[in-house]
Amino acid sequence: MRRRSFLASSSVLTIAALALPIYPARANEPFTEGQTAVLLRLVKDIFPHDALSDEPYLAVVEQLASAAADPDFLQLLREGMSSLDGAGEGDWIDRIEADRIAALKEMETTPFFITVRVSALFGLYGNPAIWSTFGYEGASYEQGGYLFRGFDDLDWLPEPLS
Amino acid sequence: MTEFDKTDDSVVVVIGSGAGGATVAHELCEKGVKVVVLEAGPRFTIDDFHNNELSAYQQLTWTDKRYATGDWPAATLAPEGPNWIVKAVGGSTVHWNGLSFRAQSHEFKALTTYGEVSGASLADWPVTYDELDPYYSRAEDKMGVTGTHGIKRHPANNNYKVLYTGAQRIGYTQISNARQAINSEFRDGRSACIQMGFCNQGCKMGAKWSTLYSEIPKAEETGNLDLRSGCMVLRIEHDKTGKASGVVYVDANGVEHRQSARIVCVAGNSIETPRLLLNSHSSLFPDGLANSSGEVGRNYTRHVGAIVFGEFDKPVNMHRGITVPGTVFDEARFDPSRGFAGGYLIEAVSLGLTNLAVVGDASGWGRDYTSFLEKYDHLAGVLLNGEDMPRSQNGVSLHDTERDQYGLPVPVIHVEEHENDNAISGHFKGQAEALLDAAGSNKNHHVVTAAATHNMGTCRMSADANKGVVNGFGQTHDVKNLFVSDGSQFTTATAENPTLTIVALAIRQADHIVARMSAKDL
Ligand SMILES: Cc1cc2nc3c(=O)[nH]c(=O)nc-3n(C[C@H](O)[C@H](O)[C@H](O)COP(=O)(O)OP(=O)(O)OC[C@H]3O[C@@H](n4cnc5c(N)ncnc54)[C@H](O)[C@@H]3O)c2cc1C
Ligand code: SF4
């Protein structure tokens, strides 16, 4: 599968070319409410940050839904979600975190997992709305760089003798 | 704008407008030589640059199909994007960091200094440090390298403070934040750096030297430069006597043209340069142009790389300011007692959050990984730049069946790492951990670097025409009026970042071309 081989090579330097894609407008919802909830849980389990609200994760789910306009992609996600439930007792989404993670660990080299991981990677960490939570300040040109805004404000080590 | 006729066979055609190509073109133009530069990528202005890692990558990067094979990290982590190179006017000087070091005298005599290393194709350069010395000085002046020509260095930023103190505490003495081709003050029509922190995304201040806004406009002012952007050269042609006679290229609209030439200089960076020579095979040159030695595409080097991030109790904010703000030179020496030939530099480095998340661990997920990313503003990074061993089997070849959008065979970049490379990265990892710990790191995180930023050696220089592609001036042994003007010429990698040497060689090559033209020898 074309998409699979591309996504499997999960390096910024190949993948960034795919980031920020312009997705076609969606004619209809590709996922049921239950599937959407599974995808949300999945991206949160892959990159859990307790300080983040659901919003940036939902944005990733939204991107996955848009990409699912491609039938191959849609099938990959649907099959992947049903295989999640297969491994273990009860529905994957209803299990405790440790059990959900154990199930994911089992499938971390599958095209499904890699695809969701890579999509979440770019969708989440490429989203400027989350950066301040991490202390990353993003674009700085408009503010005149950091020359007068703390490029050298580290004060807990001695100053270099230049 | 100057335009030369496509049938004008008195022009020098330069392929590529990066560090090597634009420099040789500018130097020739200043001396009254007519030059046509053909550049595959588009022409941006600094206003077009993005302070955003993803969109800048998409805007600038050469993403035409390539494959990586062998056992280097790129073969698994970036199998279709093993080299990080810009496709735009200015080439990789648009996204480079500006570190500008001279290679050391002994590194030009790698074979003599290190001796035979089994499994490596070490050789001495046919040019010495002393011969290059005046050209290094001219390059430093041209590029505005801090700490040379009375140019003051930058103030220390946060990330450099960590490198400096850690290095000092473990006994290093050669620690510096000088030698940056980044203006600390207004100079040569370019602004001073405002510590913006997006050096790899294109400097929106134009403070960092790039041929895009230095060599090229200056060359255009002479009236001797015809720069054609969006023009991909497909092959170099020759006449019956075997002299280069012109190039065939396709413009941004897909229309094919032929430009005649008196001399051709190839500077497409070390993947595209050998690829173009291989693609320019003919009945006279069945193995590729200028390839009677069989060395075109071989001996590829890319520096041994790795990054270690330390997590600190207090904030560092490494993203504030110059991306690679300083360097430790103590390990660059020749000292076989460490268990390897060659040496390495330790450089402070920062990544934005997006790139950190992507490269921090190529398959990372879960709380272990996210808790590392949550330390973002408490991280400081150190980067390895080590001399890798040239090997005959490492290099660029043409794919048997796959073609790119121009119909050209896709390049395959093959690397089998030498044990010496692994010895260098192992040594670095230990030293980097010690350095970060000494500065107060609680925990260190190792990052594998996949894509090669420094690409060298695929048309190596050699005094002996059977053992290399070009002579000490970058002139091909087989085709008198064909030159290689980029990092492909490097006989060996040296421990230093390559660009200052590329620029020095390009200045020297231009002087040589002008002298040979005056002597009616070219
Ligand atoms: C992130 C990053 C940071 C770096 N930092 C440093 C640093 O601090 N110090 C340092 O010394 N080096 C650094 N480098 C390396 C430096 O950028 C390169 O060594 C240097 O730019 C190489 O010069 P070049 O002339 O060989 O090729 P380039 O500068 O890459 O130029 C090649 C040009 O040729 C064009 N081209 C290729 N094929 C064709 C064709 N067939 N037809 C027409 N045009 C063609 C390309 O589009 C490109 O514009 C860095 C590189 C990266 C990726
Ligand atoms: S830190 Fe300086 S050199 Fe780097 S992008 Fe900003 S202004 Fe340019």
Side-chain angles (χ1 to χ4, degrees):
Chain A
M1 187 191 285
R2 172 185 51 85
R3 179 157 209 126
R4 186 180 304 180
S5 69
F6 224 120
L7 289 169
S9 57
S10 53
S11 146
V12 65
L13 304 171
T14 36
I15 292 295
L18 285 184
L20 312 179
I22 299 156
Y23 292 118
R26 257 183 302 142
N28 51 9
E29 280 302 321
F31 303 122
T32 64
E33 229 170 89
Q35 286 172 326
T36 302
V38 169
L39 286 175
L40 176 64
R41 187 69 263 162
L42 185 58
V43 292
K44 287 177 74 172
D45 278 353
I46 293 177
F47 294 120
H49 293 290
D50 296 337
L52 293 179
S53 71
D54 276 357
E55 207 173 313
Y57 293 106
L58 280 167
V60 174
V61 174
E62 188 62 24
Q63 288 171 9
L64 289 170
S66 299
D70 171 350
D72 285 348
F73 193 77
L74 178 62
Q75 196 190 346
L76 181 75
L77 292 190
R78 282 189 180 154
E79 286 176 8
M81 282 190 275
S82 31
S83 68
L84 268 178
D85 289 336
E89 298 262 310
D91 286 351
W92 175 81
I93 193 170
D94 298 327
R95 298 176 206 160
I96 58 164
E97 177 169 334
D99 291 348
R100 291 197 310 272
I101 300 304
L104 293 182
K105 201 86 204 131
E106 292 290 305
M107 44 191 321
E108 69 182 343
T109 57
T110 62
F112 166 67
F113 184 88
I114 291 170
T115 301
V116 177
R117 192 193 83 88
V118 171
S119 304
L121 187 62
F122 288 100
L124 194 63
Y125 300 104
N127 181 354
I130 73 156
W131 291 344
S132 62
T133 309
F134 296 77
Y136 177 54
E137 297 163 284
S140 78
Y141 173 71
E142 292 71 17
Q143 282 99 268
Y146 293 101
L147 189 57
F148 303 106
R149 295 190 311 129
F151 81 102
D152 64 347
D153 64 356
L154 187 156
D155 58 4
W156 47 270
L157 286 174
E159 282 299 308
L161 314 161
S162 73
Chain B
M1 283 294 155
T2 307
E3 274 182 42
F4 297 119
D5 203 274
K6 296 206 180 70
T7 57
D8 185 343
D9 59 6
S10 69
V11 302
V12 174
V13 168
V14 176
I15 301 161
S17 63
T23 302
V24 81
H26 176 211
E27 291 290 316
L28 291 171
C29 288
E30 289 290 347
K31 298 192 169 79
V33 179
K34 295 191 284 182
V35 178
V36 173
V37 171
L38 298 169
E39 167 54 55
R43 184 171 187 162
F44 296 112
T45 70
I46 59 175
D47 297 330
D48 299 326
F49 294 150
H50 305 181
N51 266 195
N52 180 298
E53 293 181 302
L54 289 181
S55 58
Y57 183 90
Q58 289 177 302
Q59 175 187 36
L60 299 172
T61 308
W62 184 290
T63 51
D64 296 5
K65 194 133 211 185
R66 282 175 178 158
Y67 289 114
T69 57
D71 62 7
W72 58 322
T76 44
L77 300 178
E80 297 182 7
N83 320 91
W84 190 8
I85 292 171
V86 169
K87 186 183 199 174
V89 174
S92 306
T93 67
V94 172
H95 75 179
W96 80 314
N97 285 309
L99 294 187
S100 301
F101 307 127
R102 295 179 175 207
Q104 304 166 82
S105 182
H106 72 264
E107 292 172 325
F108 290 96
K109 301 187 206 89
L111 178 59
T112 305
T113 313
Y114 310 155
E116 265 317 326
V117 173
S118 155
S121 54
L122 282 172
D124 291 349
W125 294 50
V127 52
T128 63
Y129 179 87
D130 290 340
E131 283 169 300
L132 215 47
D133 177 55
Y135 297 96
Y136 268 138
S137 181
R138 280 168 65 182
E140 286 159 347
D141 185 33
K142 176 191 279 294
M143 299 160 77
V145 177
T146 57
T148 75
H149 300 275
I151 304 167
K152 71 174 201 193
R153 65 182 65 194
H154 292 271
N157 74 3
N158 294 336
N159 210 21
Y160 179 62
K161 290 183 189 181
V162 176
L163 178 84
Y164 184 88
T165 301
Q168 238 199 357
R169 287 181 181 165
I170 62 167
Y172 285 146
T173 56
Q174 300 169 55
I175 317 158
S176 170
N177 66 340
R179 309 292 157 152
Q180 311 248 6
I182 298 178
N183 274 354
S184 51
E185 295 175 319
F186 183 87
R187 185 181 189 271
D188 199 27
R190 290 188 286 116
S191 317
C193 169
I194 58 167
Q195 302 281 350
M196 195 155 49
F198 285 90
C199 307
N200 296 155
Q201 286 67 38
C203 176
K204 284 183 80 67
M205 293 300 291
K208 183 188 72 178
W209 179 80
S210 171
T211 58
L212 170 63
Y213 40 78
S214 50
E215 305 316 301
I216 287 162
K218 285 184 192 176
E220 284 177 330
E221 263 167 48
T222 66
N224 291 323
L225 177 67
D226 177 349
L227 170 82
R228 301 179 200 157
S229 58
C231 292
M232 174 76 181
V233 176
L234 308 176
R235 64 182 179 276
I236 301 165
E237 295 190 331
H238 59 78
D239 63 16
K240 284 201 266 322
T241 68
K243 273 180 66 183
S245 57
V247 306
V248 174
Y249 67 94
V250 56
D251 69 19
N253 300 317
V255 180
E256 215 169 277
H257 305 270
R258 184 183 188 280
Q259 173 64 54
S260 295
R262 175 174 178 178
I263 294 168
V264 174
C265 295
V266 194
N269 205 325
S270 302
I271 310 304
E272 292 306 314
T273 290
R275 180 183 181 221
L276 181 59
L277 296 181
L278 294 173
N279 276 330
S280 301
H281 59 83
S282 66
S283 49
L284 203 54
F285 299 101
D287 299 323
L289 200 55
N291 194 23
S292 67
S293 63
E295 296 295 323
V296 169
R298 294 184 183 277
N299 312 299
Y300 170 60
T301 53
R302 85 276 172 218
H303 282 143
V304 194
I307 305 178
V308 186
F309 286 99
E311 294 181 11
F312 295 86
D313 284 338
K314 299 201 177 123
V316 176
N317 286 310
M318 63 174 171
H319 62 281
R320 295 185 182 169
I322 295 176
T323 303
V324 180
T327 309
V328 179
F329 295 94
D330 292 72
E331 302 289 359
R333 68 190 190 276
F334 171 61
D335 175 7
S337 74
R338 290 171 301 181
F340 50 84
Y344 66 88
L345 308 183
I346 305 174
E347 299 169 351
V349 69
S350 82
L351 293 176
L353 179 69
T354 317
N355 275 351
L356 182 73
V358 175
V359 303
D361 179 346
S363 54
W365 64 277
R367 290 207 182 263
D368 270 357
Y369 193 49
T370 55
S371 64
F372 162 65
L373 298 175
E374 284 170 3
K375 302 270 168 32
Y376 181 79
D377 55 359
H378 287 57
L379 299 176
V382 294
L383 169 75
L384 162 65
N385 196 75
E387 173 164 14
D388 54 332
M389 286 295 117
R391 309 189 83 180
S392 181
Q393 69 267 43
N394 291 352
V396 180
S397 60
L398 303 177
H399 197 279
D400 287 341
T401 52
E402 260 196 78
R403 301 288 177 267
D404 68 6
Q405 71 270 39
Y406 307 104
L408 299 171
V410 167
V412 179
I413 298 95
H414 183 82
V415 175
E416 293 167 28
E417 293 191 314
H418 192 278
E419 58 194 23
N420 198 78
D421 306 351
N422 301 325
I424 285 185
S425 56
H427 195 269
F428 161 78
K429 283 172 189 162
Q431 293 305 105
E433 291 233 14
L435 185 158
L436 290 166
D437 290 350
S441 168
N442 299 317
K443 194 173 171 188
N444 299 315
H445 186 97
H446 290 264
V447 172
V448 177
T449 51
T453 57
H454 302 164
N455 297 283
M456 299 161 287
T458 50
C459 294
R460 78 177 349 178
M461 278 188 179
S462 164
D464 179 347
N466 296 314
K467 294 191 170 154
V469 180
V470 299
N471 67 18
F473 292 101
Q475 183 174 27
T476 64
H477 287 298
D478 297 350
V479 183
K480 198 170 150 184
N481 65 339
L482 176 63
F483 288 77
V484 172
S485 316
D486 61 16
S488 314
Q489 299 172 79
F490 284 29
T491 308
T492 54
T494 84
E496 287 72 26
N497 304 51
T499 307
L500 183 74
T501 302
I502 294 174
V503 173
L505 289 171
I507 299 172
R508 183 166 175 269
Q509 179 177 86
D511 281 4
H512 177 76
I513 289 174
V514 170
R516 299 326 307 158
M517 283 172 81
S518 315
K520 301 269 180 291
D521 192 23
L522 272 177

